[in-house]
Each structure stands twice: as structure tokens, then as C-alpha cells.
Amino acid sequence: MNTPAGGFFTSRLDKMIGWARKYSIFQYPFVTACCGMEYMATACSHYDIDRFGAGLPRFSPRQADVLFVVGTISHKLAPALKMIYDQMCEPKWVVAFGVCTCTGGFYDNYATVMGIDTIIPVDVYIPGCPPRPETVLDGLMKLQKKIQNQPQMT
Amino acid sequence: MELGVTLRKLKEKFGDWLFDVGQAFGDDFFVAHKDKVVEISRFLRDDPDLRYNFLIDITAVDYPQRRPRFEVVYHFFSLPFKQRVRMKVPVEENHAEVPTLISLWEGANWFEREVWDMFGIRFSGHPDLRRILLYESFEGHPLRKDYPVNKRQPLVGPKIS
């Protein structure tokens, strides 16, 4: 390599791991409701989520880095969501996709969890009912930024 | 108003047990005493002129101002005669219990569990009266009018097995 110092270049390990991680987001789509359609639209070729290195959904939480919670979560489903979150390996992130997962949305009743952050920690909130693919990609880029800037070796 | 054959036959046979008969929303309806639920249903199903052989739905309504407070609503359909009939059964709040229809229609099982789940009305003789949509540790019955609209339930943690 042609560098001024001659034959090598320096970088910070932290930054490099962050760079690797942010472009290899293996997501676990936890899809329960209508937001799933927008998730599919985002994941398909037109919007092409693979540009951000997130094109490979894993359907086992043990292989996934990012938990995409897509759609309304009911109280009855809440234990399952918590269990899936617990099964994911560190480092892991959570994206709340759509207002139902952010706050409960327009549901305020006996069945719906008022925001998944009452159960598990959330890194990125993507509002919208459902959010357009552009919003999702924006959220994904914010997540990448977060992954890049956090300490990697804790 | 002229009564159809269903209501005429019912009045003839169960006149003392009917509080009201009539027509509403295009269908015959009658209000019956809860002790006669199974007998009336069997009559509706087996009578050769009626043959209401299809139990469409069981649900309930909460009228907080009325006494008795609840009404269990049954819809029957006659596949041979393409007729519908609605049976309403008033139920007291402090003795919210009606006989089960499982002996006539197996499908009544889950309907009755749903009514128990949402309204807290019991069905005597039901073999497995558990909640069907909500979970066991849920407190209260959410479709009762006095269930607080913004009540929060305790979150149930994952089962460790």
C-alpha cells in the first residue's frame, strides 16, 4: 500500500470494528402487523435495504444483531418478545418500527403494550403508521451512526 | 305485526319462558329465560319446520343501567330454510351464569370461552372454561363497561421451563 509512512497505515481498532459492524446488520424481523408490508417494501429491490448492509434477515435470534420490532405488540405476546431479545447475542440493538411499537400508537386499550420500551431497551424509534421506506432507511442510517460511534470493546 | 313460523312455534311451546318476541334489523328475535336455553336451542335445531342447525355466534352485551345487567346473544341460522333467528338471554350480574350449549353444538366451546374472557359470564357445564384470547393472569373482563379504559395490566415475564 502506498502510504506516506511507507507500507502501512494506522487506524483505531474501535473505529474499524464499528465500521464492520454497521455494514453487517443481520436483522431479526419480529413482524406482527401491517407495518410488515412497509418492512417488506423496504427490504425489496426498489428501496434495497442491502445498500446499508442489512439485506440478510436471520430468522433465529441467536444469529441476529438487530431486533426489528415491526407492528403492534400485545400483552399476550410481550413475554415472547422479551424471550427473543434475551436470546440474542451481544452486541445487539433494537429498532422500534412504527408508532405502535414506539408508544402504543392509537391503541390505548386492555390488549396493547404501550411502547416496547416498557419491556426491552430500544435504540432507534421509527415513527409512522406505517412509516414510509424512506423513514425506515433514515432510521437505519441513524442506527449505523450509533453503532459506529459507540465503544466497541466493552 | 305478523309473526313468522319460528316465533309462532316458540310462543306456542315456550310461551311462559319468553319475555319478548319481535323483529329487529331484519331478523326475528326473542328474549328467553336462561333456564330454558338448552331446551329452546334443541327445539330450534330439531323441529322439522325450523331446523336452525347452525350456531353462528355467541356473544354478550353489557347494559350498565339495566337490571339484569347482561344479555347473552345467540344467533342461529337454518341452512335448509335460509332463516336467521336471534336469542337473547338476560343475566344478572351477581349470578352471571347460563347453561352451556356444547351438548348441541361442539363449536359453542370457544364462543363461550370468549364470552367468559371478555364479559365474565360463566357457562355451567362447560368442560374447559378458561380464558381464550387473554392470558390467565389478566385481571378483570375488558368488555364490561366498567372496565377502566386506560387500565394497565401487570406485564407477564417469560416462562422459565
Side-chain angles (χ1 to χ4, degrees):
Chain A
M1 191 171 285
N2 240 344
T3 50
F8 66 93
F9 70 99
T10 57
S11 173
R12 282 182 297 129
L13 187 57
D14 223 40
K15 207 177 162 197
M16 203 185 80
I17 293 175
W19 174 81
R21 279 179 175 165
K22 79 173 175 181
Y23 286 127
S24 64
I25 295 173
F26 286 24
Q27 354 128 20
Y28 180 92
F30 191 90
V31 178
T32 61
C34 37
C35 274
M37 302 324 269
E38 292 302 314
Y39 170 77
M40 290 171 215
T42 316
C44 283
S45 50
H46 193 84
Y47 288 96
D48 192 12
I49 206 172
D50 210 8
R51 289 178 292 162
F52 305 92
L56 196 61
R58 310 306 299 163
F59 295 101
S60 161
R62 289 151 209 271
Q63 299 170 352
D65 307 308
V66 176
L67 176 61
F68 263 72
V69 187
V70 183
T72 324
I73 302 295
S74 65
H75 284 296
K76 199 172 179 178
L77 189 62
L81 177 63
K82 176 87 167 75
M83 188 183 283
I84 281 174
Y85 176 77
D86 290 341
Q87 284 177 357
M88 289 171 66
C89 296
E90 295 279 357
K92 57 186 170 186
W93 298 273
V94 177
V95 174
F97 188 117
V99 281
C100 289
T101 53
C102 294
T103 63
F106 58 71
Y107 295 106
D108 184 6
N109 56 27
Y110 60 90
T112 309
V113 174
M114 305 311 284
I116 58 164
D117 49 8
T118 57
I119 315 167
I120 54 178
V122 176
D123 295 282
V124 175
Y125 297 85
I126 303 175
C129 184
R132 279 197 56 84
E134 292 90 333
T135 325
V136 180
L137 295 181
D138 187 42
L140 193 66
M141 282 151 73
K142 287 195 162 58
L143 178 68
Q144 286 184 322
K145 211 177 210 174
K146 175 167 181 161
I147 294 174
Q148 174 72 76
N149 292 336
Q150 74 181 32
Q152 307 296 342
M153 292 179 293
T154 46
Chain B
M1 186 185 65
E2 203 175 308
L3 294 179
V5 59
T6 310
L7 296 181
R8 262 189 286 120
K9 283 205 128 181
L10 275 172
K11 269 190 116 165
E12 231 167 75
K13 199 159 172 10
F14 297 99
D16 298 342
W17 302 93
L18 300 184
F19 302 117
D20 190 15
V21 296
Q23 281 171 329
F25 306 105
D27 290 322
D28 289 340
F29 79 88
F30 60 95
V31 185
H33 192 278
K34 67 175 180 181
D35 290 350
K36 287 285 166 185
V37 163
V38 179
E39 245 174 272
I40 292 175
S41 306
R42 180 177 291 124
F43 174 74
L44 286 173
R45 187 186 69 170
D46 295 341
D47 188 274
D49 296 332
L50 307 178
R51 296 181 58 199
Y52 286 95
N53 51 1
F54 179 18
L55 172 65
I56 298 178
D57 190 24
I58 304 175
T59 183
V61 189
D62 181 2
Y63 297 104
Q65 274 81 41
R66 277 198 211 169
R67 294 289 170 274
R69 178 176 160 187
F70 296 104
E71 228 169 37
V72 181
V73 184
Y74 299 79
H75 285 94
F76 303 105
F77 185 65
S78 166
L79 288 167
F81 298 114
K82 308 283 180 260
Q83 281 288 316
R84 244 176 271 267
V85 71
R86 184 183 309 128
M87 172 167 75
K88 305 204 264 184
V89 180
V91 182
E92 294 283 351
E93 184 180 3
N94 49 17
H95 186 65
E97 191 158 359
V98 282
T100 175
L101 282 191
I102 292 183
S103 56
L104 301 175
W105 287 278
E106 280 283 321
N109 189 320
W110 282 16
F111 287 141
E112 291 174 350
R113 281 176 64 187
E114 189 188 352
V115 172
W116 157 247
D117 197 356
M118 293 293 158
F119 292 93
I121 296 169
R122 298 193 146 273
F123 288 85
S124 49
H126 194 290
D128 183 29
L129 199 61
R130 286 177 296 132
R131 286 183 182 275
I132 187 168
L133 294 170
L134 300 169
Y135 43 94
E136 281 307 314
S137 50
F138 194 93
E139 290 160 12
H141 299 282
L143 289 195
R144 287 188 173 199
K145 297 284 185 205
D146 53 8
Y147 182 90
V149 70
N150 51 4
K151 178 173 173 170
R152 296 285 172 264
Q153 293 285 336
L155 291 177
V156 269
K159 230 181 273 166
I160 294 159
S161 52

